[in-house]
Amino acid sequence: MVPLARMKPLLVMNVVGLTPGLLPHTPRLAALGRAGFTASLGTLLPAVTCPVQATMLTGRPPREHGIVGNGWYDREWAEVMFWRQSNRLVGCEDEKLWNAGKRRFGDGFSTAKMFWWFNMYAAVDAAVTPRPVYPADGRKIPSIYAQPAELKGDLQQSLGQFPLFEFWGPKAGIRSSQWIAAATKRVMETKQPTVTLCYLPHLDYDLQRFGPDSPEAVRACREIDRVAGELGEHAASTGHTVVVLSEYGITPVRDGVHVNRALRKAGLLTVQEVDLGWELLDAGASAAFAVADHQVAHVYVKDPARLDDVR
């Protein structure tokens, strides 16, 4: 067992969408790299948030840890479920960073998991993740889930309510990443974890909305550079090793492949019409349908005998 006292505390900032080509627009983050070193980090297929994060934290590919996308079809529920949050969905339990760390360094090794996905019920020492509340009257109230439970009150009392609607959806912007960075700094100061994992999603929004070469993308780089740069500089000044990484890069595209349209034309996909005149996929009634997830689509086939037809 390696003595924990020899290990500097570590901050890992996951600045989603950051690539070497964008570093000229993020001078503070680039300076962190020059002060240490930079290296290429390959990704995997599919290069989307949940599989990549699960691989980063277990060292195992999706075929082993089981996270094949941001969401997938549950055949018993007959529903497509995206953005589930239980860490119990991720396999390779012994290989997870926090468990491997305790084996190597002893029980004094501690982990804070700030907004990295599959956050709930992970065997970490501090965890915070988005978790809206749905009252019986149909409202959706912005909130977070935290462990230990009292951490939620501490953060929202000191930082205000988490801006959920600026984390997801059409209003997504820098304020949610600012809140996450501030919460991360507070947890680092109060809990003093050995390893702090911080997820900063801001670049993802405008790179997808406007393209990675757009003026909006350059502006987003400057915005996240202020937030992540300040957090990284603070961590470095308090004796932390700082790692800045990304799950994937975003490249320009001009078109998509409409898998479900082809399956519907072939008579394999079923829809339900709702009262507003919309059509909704009826996954449970479909012979085949695709769950599209940015880079790839998983095609689900009800009857294995029809696999060749679907292909």
Side-chain angles (χ1 to χ4, degrees), residues 98 110-116 119 122-129 145-149 151 155 183-184 186-188 190-193 195-197:
W98 41 91
S110 59
T111 305
K113 196 177 186 194
M114 303 298 293
F115 285 75
W116 282 53
N119 203 313
V124 298
D125 301 272
V128 186
T129 197
Y145 175 91
Q147 64 179 75
L151 181 58
L155 291 176
T184 300
R186 184 167 181 84
V187 166
M188 290 169 66
T190 59
K191 302 291 185 184
Q192 298 186 333
V195 175
T196 303
L197 305 167

Side-chain angles (χ1 to χ4, degrees), residues 8-310:
K8 292 177 65 176
L10 174 68
L11 168 65
V12 181
M13 289 192 293
N14 183 354
V15 183
V16 183
L18 184 66
T19 58
L22 294 176
L23 286 175
H25 307 303
T26 58
R28 293 172 80 168
L29 292 179
L32 288 172
R34 288 193 301 272
F37 69 92
T38 60
S40 297
L41 179 66
T43 190
L44 51 89
L45 186 72
V48 293
T49 291
C50 293
V52 176
Q53 286 193 15
T55 291
M56 285 179 174
L57 298 182
T58 64
R60 301 296 182 182
R63 66 176 177 271
E64 294 183 31
H65 59 60
I67 305 303
V68 298
N70 291 326
W72 51 86
Y73 179 59
D74 187 296
R75 294 180 185 273
E76 293 182 351
W77 286 68
E79 291 182 8
V80 177
M81 297 184 177
F82 269 76
W83 303 110
R84 302 295 95 182
Q85 301 203 60
S86 172
N87 194 259
R88 295 167 189 166
L89 291 166
V90 186
C92 303
E93 185 68 25
D94 288 345
E95 303 304 317
K96 292 175 182 176
L97 179 145
W98 41 91
N99 292 327
K102 286 187 183 296
R103 281 200 308 276
R104 183 172 183 183
F105 296 105
D107 290 340
F109 181 93
S110 59
T111 305
K113 196 177 186 194
M114 303 298 293
F115 285 75
W116 282 53
W117 217 251
F118 298 113
N119 203 313
M120 295 174 66
Y121 319 120
V124 298
D125 301 272
V128 186
T129 197
R131 191 67 170 176
V133 176
Y134 297 92
D137 60 10
R139 288 176 298 155
K140 181 176 183 178
I141 300 175
S143 189
I144 55 174
Y145 175 91
Q147 64 179 75
E150 59 269 20
L151 181 58
K152 175 179 177 178
D154 174 70
L155 291 176
Q156 297 208 135
Q157 184 175 7
S158 60
L159 304 176
Q161 186 181 56
F162 174 64
L164 179 77
F165 300 128
E166 295 177 57
F167 179 83
W168 284 322
K171 291 179 62 181
I174 190 63
R175 204 159 74 90
S176 60
S177 290
Q178 289 173 328
W179 198 100
I180 294 168
T184 300
K185 182 179 178 181
R186 184 167 181 84
V187 166
M188 290 169 66
E189 291 172 343
T190 59
K191 302 291 185 184
Q192 298 186 333
T194 313
V195 175
T196 303
L197 305 167
C198 174
Y199 173 76
L200 297 171
H202 180 62
L203 275 188
D204 207 33
Y205 307 142
D206 280 350
L207 267 65
Q208 292 197 42
R209 282 190 284 229
F210 302 106
D213 302 323
S214 65
E216 292 87 353
V218 172
R219 181 188 64 202
C221 285
R222 292 172 179 155
E223 290 173 339
I224 198 62
D225 190 53
R226 287 193 294 271
V227 173
E230 180 181 339
L231 179 60
E233 291 160 8
H234 169 77
S237 72
T238 55
H240 287 70
T241 298
V242 180
V243 174
V244 181
L245 49 76
S246 177
E247 300 158 5
Y248 48 75
I250 294 175
T251 56
V253 295
R254 293 182 300 277
D255 201 358
V257 179
H258 302 291
V259 182
N260 278 329
R261 294 183 187 179
L263 294 172
R264 185 176 184 181
K265 186 176 180 180
L268 295 163
L269 184 146
T270 301
V271 299
Q272 286 279 331
E273 190 170 304
V274 298
D275 294 341
L276 296 173
W278 301 345
E279 291 180 337
L280 295 177
L281 169 69
D282 190 345
S286 295
F289 66 94
V291 176
D293 191 2
H294 295 80
Q295 184 189 30
V296 299
H298 291 87
V299 178
Y300 292 86
V301 183
K302 184 185 295 185
D303 182 358
R306 301 196 69 180
L307 282 171
D308 288 339
D309 293 339
V310 175

